[in-house]
Amino acid sequence: MKKNTFKLGSSIDTASELLRTMEHQLLYVSDLFSPAPKDAGKAIHRARQTYKKCRALLRLMRDAMGYAAYYRENICLREMQRELSRIRDADVQYKLFTRLSEDFPEFGKKAWFAGIMKEARKNYDLEMDHFLESGKAADISRQSYAKALQCRQYTLNGEGFALIEGGLTRIYRQGREMGTLVFTQDADAFEIHSFRKKAKYLQYQLTYLRTISKSLIKAMSSTMEQLADNLGYYNDLYIACMRIQAYAEDHQIGQKKNLEILLGRLREEMEGAKEDSRKIYEMQYAEKPKHYIRRLGRYWELHAQSLGEEDIAGSRAGQGR
């Protein structure tokens, strides 16, 4: 299997670099499932991450490829990613309950908690068996290979930083506005999860662009990853609470004192994760979009100059917004 490299190359030929990376990412997914992987769980996790990276790149290319083409390709990649979501979600939930049984051993020994663990494991096994027996692995391999070849047919309008400036501005602005909603109002779990997706896209975009200023942008990307992880933990805990309550109702457990105490502990963990996220958000999204993009554009210019190249159509990167 080829090494899965996800970063802008040393050239500032933005269009070819973006399309080359997209093609290689999709070929990587195809290789993960052909032949059938020995560790399907690991392959599924890597494939979902790679699809998300591709969708982050699409958002960078949106203005350059046109909205109709962007919309079509994003929907296609989203559906391919969803083929893997159920099994990955089941895996995350089982591992979370395993962790909770270790973090809160006084609850892990209870019969009702053991029942929840057993149900979570059963759900994961059913999803994995269905995936292995349905031939989905081969389908994903073929679809990803075909989609990779289509990358060679894309046409991107623009050069240099100007090609990605609109997409980068959009995802930063959306995250900034959504974060304001999440941390200043009584946002629900869906809104928090939606904010996490925006943060994750920005994280992957920064990871891809780290070539232009390795230490600075790598630090920005790492902090965004921490933000996304905190929000992901919040979401996992929320689903765990819902699963515990559903199990209690289905099995007529009633208002057990220990169960209510555990739910209270989990809600405290959720609030802690949200507060940690707020602190990172206020630091990472402090700048207005035009200032944030202007700064990244300057990094781009300096990188281009270090290569002895001119940033075609982007020599005043970020100055127009």
Side-chain angles (χ1 to χ4, degrees):
M1 183 183 297
K2 296 180 180 179
K3 185 178 180 181
N4 185 30
T5 302
F6 185 73
K7 67 177 180 178
L8 181 71
S10 57
S11 170
I12 307 296
D13 183 359
T14 318
S16 62
E17 286 289 339
L18 283 165
L19 295 177
R20 176 192 59 80
T21 303
M22 180 80 94
E23 179 182 346
H24 287 186
Q25 292 295 305
L26 291 167
L27 288 174
Y28 173 74
V29 175
S30 181
D31 288 345
L32 282 173
F33 296 102
S34 181
K38 294 181 179 179
D39 188 339
K42 183 181 292 186
I44 288 169
H45 175 59
R46 290 177 176 175
R48 289 187 72 246
Q49 280 188 325
T50 305
Y51 283 142
K52 291 177 182 178
K53 290 177 181 178
C54 288
R55 294 179 69 193
L57 290 183
L58 269 180
R59 281 159 172 76
L60 281 180
M61 296 186 284
R62 173 175 161 175
D63 293 352
M65 71 190 311
Y67 182 74
Y70 158 78
Y71 181 81
R72 181 182 63 249
E73 298 305 322
N74 184 56
I75 292 295
C76 182
L77 287 175
R78 186 189 69 186
E79 294 308 309
M80 292 164 69
Q81 180 183 324
R82 282 181 174 175
E83 288 292 320
L84 304 172
S85 294
R86 287 174 61 90
I87 187 169
R88 180 60 184 165
D89 291 346
D91 182 39
V92 168
Q93 279 297 297
Y94 175 69
K95 289 179 178 177
L96 175 63
F97 279 114
T98 301
R99 173 182 169 181
L100 293 177
S101 69
E102 297 169 353
D103 292 347
F104 304 104
E106 66 272 29
F107 303 112
K109 297 176 182 179
K110 301 295 180 180
W112 54 265
F113 192 91
I116 295 172
M117 284 275 293
K118 184 178 179 180
E119 190 174 87
R121 179 67 198 194
K122 181 180 178 180
N123 185 44
Y124 170 73
D125 289 341
L126 287 173
E127 292 291 347
M128 179 61 81
D129 289 344
H130 175 69
F131 177 81
L132 296 174
E133 295 170 3
S134 65
K136 282 188 177 181
D139 290 342
I140 289 170
S141 180
R142 286 193 296 269
Q143 291 169 7
S144 298
Y145 183 78
K147 186 58 63 178
L149 296 184
Q150 287 181 17
C151 292
R152 303 175 187 180
Q153 302 172 10
Y154 295 159
T155 299
L156 301 182
N157 299 314
E159 295 287 348
F161 189 78
L163 190 152
I164 64 171
E165 183 180 353
L168 195 57
T169 302
R170 184 178 296 107
I171 202 67
Y172 178 80
R173 181 187 292 119
Q174 289 173 346
R176 193 170 190 261
E177 292 173 352
M178 197 167 289
T180 299
L181 169 66
V182 166
F183 297 116
T184 62
Q185 301 182 30
D186 188 20
D188 59 27
F190 175 79
E191 291 168 327
I192 293 174
H193 181 60
S194 296
F195 171 52
R196 178 182 183 268
K197 291 193 289 186
K198 301 298 182 184
K200 200 69 178 175
Y201 286 138
L202 182 58
Q203 175 210 327
Y204 284 138
Q205 290 173 352
L206 291 171
T207 298
Y208 180 71
L209 295 172
R210 67 189 183 279
T211 307
I212 66 175
S213 183
K214 188 172 182 179
S215 59
L216 290 171
I217 295 187
K218 185 178 181 180
M220 293 165 66
S221 175
S222 296
T223 307
M224 288 303 302
E225 182 177 17
Q226 185 179 356
L227 171 59
D229 286 347
N230 286 342
L231 293 169
Y233 184 48
Y234 177 98
N235 185 67
D236 293 342
L237 289 170
Y238 171 79
I239 295 175
C241 287
M242 298 295 289
R243 185 178 290 274
I244 290 171
Q245 290 173 321
Y247 183 89
E249 291 177 4
D250 291 344
H251 294 79
Q252 299 180 341
I253 292 178
Q255 301 296 315
K256 280 184 175 289
K257 182 179 179 180
N258 287 326
L259 187 147
E260 291 302 316
I261 292 175
L262 176 59
L263 288 173
R265 294 273 190 90
L266 296 186
R267 293 184 183 113
E268 289 176 2
E269 286 278 305
M270 289 170 62
E271 288 306 309
K274 186 176 179 181
E275 176 61 17
D276 290 342
S277 299
R278 182 189 62 79
K279 293 176 182 177
I280 298 174
Y281 164 77
E282 291 179 350
M283 175 177 62
Q284 288 298 103
Y285 287 92
E287 295 172 278
K288 293 182 177 180
K290 64 180 180 180
H291 297 149
Y292 184 85
I293 299 305
R294 188 176 296 161
R295 178 159 61 92
L296 292 181
R298 183 55 180 162
Y299 296 160
W300 182 287
E301 285 183 345
L302 293 172
H303 178 61
Q305 291 169 12
S306 73
L307 297 175
E309 301 181 11
E310 289 188 14
D311 185 16
I312 304 172
S315 59
R316 292 191 297 274
Q319 298 299 316
R321 292 181 181 271

